[in-house]
Amino acid sequence: MTETAAPETKAAAPHDTPQDKAQTPPGAAAGGAGSPGGKPAGSCPPPRPKGILARLYDLLAFFPLLPLTLIYAAQTAFTLDARSLWFSDEIRHGNVYETMLATGQWLVPHLNGTPYPDKPPVYFWFLGLLDAIPGVDGPMVFQLGAAVSGLLLLWATYALARLVAGCDKRESFAAGLVLLCGFYFLGVTHYARMDLLFAAAITLAHVCMYRGLRLPVACRWIFPAFALAAVATLIKGPFGVAFPLLAGLAYALWRGMPRRLNRMDVAIGGGIMLATLLAWVGAVWFEGYADLIRNILRHQIVDRATAAWHHEQPWWHYLATLPAAWLPFTPMLLFLPWGRAFTPASMRAMLATRKGQGDGMAYIWLALATSFALLTVVSIKIVIYLLPLFPLLAVVTARALLRLNAFGSRMYFGLTAFLLLMLALGLGAASLWQWAPDMARAHLQPQVLALLDMARGAPILAGITLAFAVLLWKAVDRSRPEGGLLTLAAFVTALVVPAALFTAPSLDPVMSPRAQAELMGDYIRKGYHPVSYKVYSGTYTYYAGSNIEELSDEESLRAAMTLFPQVVVAMRADRFAEWADKPADLREVHRQWIVDREFVLAERSGPVQPEQLEQPVQPEQPADAAPPAPTGEDSAPAVSGEQAPDAPALPQPAPGDAGNGTTPATPAVPQPTQPDAQPAAPAPQAPEAPAVPLPGPQPQDNAPAAPQPVPVPTPPPPPPGVGATDSPATPAPATAQAQ
């Protein structure tokens, strides 16, 4: 905490760097006075003149938000519609949003026709606002949501530096650049999740909390602080309340003013926060989703915090992952002046923050400590949960970087240039795998080979990285951190655009289930009953254009295979190979690696299928012939006065899937198995099979041929084992239909 006494630096000239001041000895005053050691004035070398990059940095720092916004736009604007939605969060959130959009049920998110307890609805409301922009359609709205959320977080980071840390424009500009240079942050801005918007709301809550608590009464700051904490909670979860409240409590205790928390503005602000949260909880409860609220309180909050069912990690998990997530600035720790951090002067400066001198940096350090401690004690641990800490880290890193002495700056940026060289060599080696011999490929896992083969943009990325490594080593004055920071910002901007335009789309066959899901959708529109067995919930729904029956036990799988003559089923390849009693006529039709697992799509055509395929197509009727019986998209007229055998009921189509290349299926009506094949003679009627409960609403006997989408109801839970998913979410609703 050597930086807590920094407000005095505001008195310095706006363009004097710490290096300039450090290299001007106290005795070298303008009046020609001698140094304390008796040496004549002027015996020390004058300060070095600033280079081009340092002067450019000072120019850009006059209006910091404008260049920061332009740099961020260059990193994201050209990549909004470059690839498919990826497993697992993007495709799940895509289905949740499309369901809200089609059904008008904006209060309770639904996944695969089932209430979705994992996430609150505010982020999807945010997507709805962006979807109203002309030209925004399909998957683009999800990438635009991530990009706009990242921009809001960037602006919130600048506000944190100015309004809390007390930084001038140069340091605030550096804080924004540090955030924009982070590899992990840039990756998240190109992945559709609500974490960026969540972190932006928490950061603004920190700003308002600090500005409010340092005054005796400050309704204009305290009320927004609690309101933003409530909004953050409704974006993702209870960390939205915990982070700013813990930081505010720690700050009040550090300043020795715990009674400040008993003031009327804090009480009213807490009431606003509770009223906002209870308004949504009450609305959901009275809509008939009481079980969903119980699930959220028990499984999504208590169990995740104490005994997570997945992503459970040891207490030191974030100590190991944060250094990697904070690249390329983690190596700077090696060159900080740690010896000065524990000197008496530093200790006095730290204690002075208790009296209000530089207490903004004290708040930031306390917010970092309390937030990190909370994440450490919680059972579930994922790296992306660290994202709300990134604005705090950006401010701390920017101040430390601009205060590096000339030697530390040269060493840090020199090491960074070396690491970029190693990265360039690694990317170049990866690009050579397409010409590797079969002997070398035989020792790698198939998914690794797929990732290497699909990374077509690796040669471009290797060239960019190599060029900037040489530039940083040879052409940049590494003794001044301003030039090095601008060079890093230019590097990541030049790197992320081809990575998002070429490399990321080439990974679609491995990262996105689109190919397998769209093939499943084709089978569904032909009358097949869709099943996924022990697959992450919502994996296929978005691109299949229909809800999928998701099973998690063998008994339910056998029941589905018995009841439905035409079935298309998806499962992991190893489980498909180990399936001992799978039907003999179940045929594998597709195989795909999705991230780190291989999945199989298999179909069974049913007993009528072979007979129908052998029959010729019925010739065209004469012009004066009587018109045929009305037919639907998946139906055919009866032959010889007999009704065609009934097909199993189809699940309710998922909400309109704009831009994903699929067409929503219509509800099933009595039909033959193949609508485009006309038998010459009546086929023997297959025994009628009762339908098993499916997720979502079911078509009724008197349903019209092409009904409009209807809201997804919440009927009683299905029988045990039917419609189950891998996650302990609310049981899938289902309705039994009598044929």
Side-chain angles (χ1 to χ4, degrees), residues 238-324:
F239 281 150
V241 167
F243 286 159
L245 292 190
L246 282 177
L249 175 62
Y251 173 74
L253 295 176
W254 174 256
R255 289 288 309 275
M257 50 180 193
R259 294 183 179 179
R260 176 64 183 88
L261 303 177
N262 296 329
R263 300 288 174 85
M264 184 60 67
D265 57 345
V266 176
I268 297 176
I272 292 174
M273 180 185 69
L274 291 177
T276 304
L277 297 175
L278 292 177
W280 177 73
V281 171
V284 172
W285 186 284
F286 288 110
E287 279 284 322
Y289 293 92
D291 289 339
L292 177 66
I293 297 299
R294 297 189 188 97
N295 183 295
I296 292 174
L297 295 176
R298 178 179 177 182
H299 294 293
Q300 305 300 321
I301 297 179
V302 176
D303 288 351
R304 280 175 179 256
T306 58
W309 57 87
H310 66 159
H311 298 299
E312 186 175 8
Q313 301 292 344
W315 66 269
W316 47 263
H317 175 74
Y318 290 124
L319 292 174
T321 55
L322 180 58

Side-chain angles (χ1 to χ4, degrees), residues 396-573:
V396 173
T397 302
R399 289 171 62 90
L401 182 63
L402 292 186
R403 284 162 171 75
L404 281 177
N405 56 36
F407 174 78
S409 180
R410 280 196 300 268
M411 294 300 295
Y412 165 65
F413 286 107
L415 177 59
T416 303
F418 174 76
L419 295 177
L420 292 184
L421 176 62
M422 295 296 100
L423 177 61
L425 295 178
L427 291 170
S431 64
L432 298 177
W433 272 102
Q434 53 186 321
W435 298 289
D438 294 338
M439 182 181 300
R441 292 172 173 265
H443 296 286
L444 295 178
Q445 294 293 329
Q447 68 270 33
V448 176
L449 289 174
L451 288 171
L452 292 172
D453 291 341
M454 295 300 172
R456 293 192 297 266
I460 300 175
L461 303 182
I464 293 173
T465 307
L466 179 62
F468 274 93
V470 175
L471 181 66
L472 190 59
W473 181 264
K474 300 292 293 184
V476 175
D477 183 5
R478 291 179 280 111
S479 65
R480 289 188 177 274
E482 299 94 332
L485 189 56
L486 283 179
T487 304
L488 281 180
F491 161 66
V492 295
T493 304
L495 186 73
V496 73
V497 174
L501 289 178
F502 301 105
T503 304
S506 69
L507 297 177
D508 278 355
V510 177
M511 300 299 297
S512 175
R514 178 174 183 173
Q516 200 162 88
E518 287 183 342
L519 181 58
M520 176 181 280
D522 292 339
Y523 278 98
I524 293 172
R525 286 184 289 278
K526 293 177 183 178
Y528 286 70
H529 176 70
V531 171
S532 67
Y533 175 64
K534 289 188 177 180
V535 177
Y536 205 66
S537 180
T539 296
Y540 297 104
T541 309
Y542 180 80
Y543 281 116
S546 175
N547 293 331
I548 310 297
E549 184 179 9
E550 297 174 339
L551 306 176
S552 60
D553 62 273
E554 296 182 0
E555 182 179 353
S556 299
L557 180 62
R558 284 193 294 267
M561 299 302 296
T562 302
L563 293 175
F564 291 95
Q566 290 182 290
V567 178
V568 56
V569 57
M571 66 175 64
R572 276 172 34 187

Side-chain angles (χ1 to χ4, degrees), residues 612 614-619 635-640 672 674-681:
Q612 289 180 337
E614 295 174 1
Q615 303 303 327
V617 179
Q618 183 178 2
S635 62
V639 182
S640 301
Q674 294 292 332
D676 51 351
Q678 181 65 33

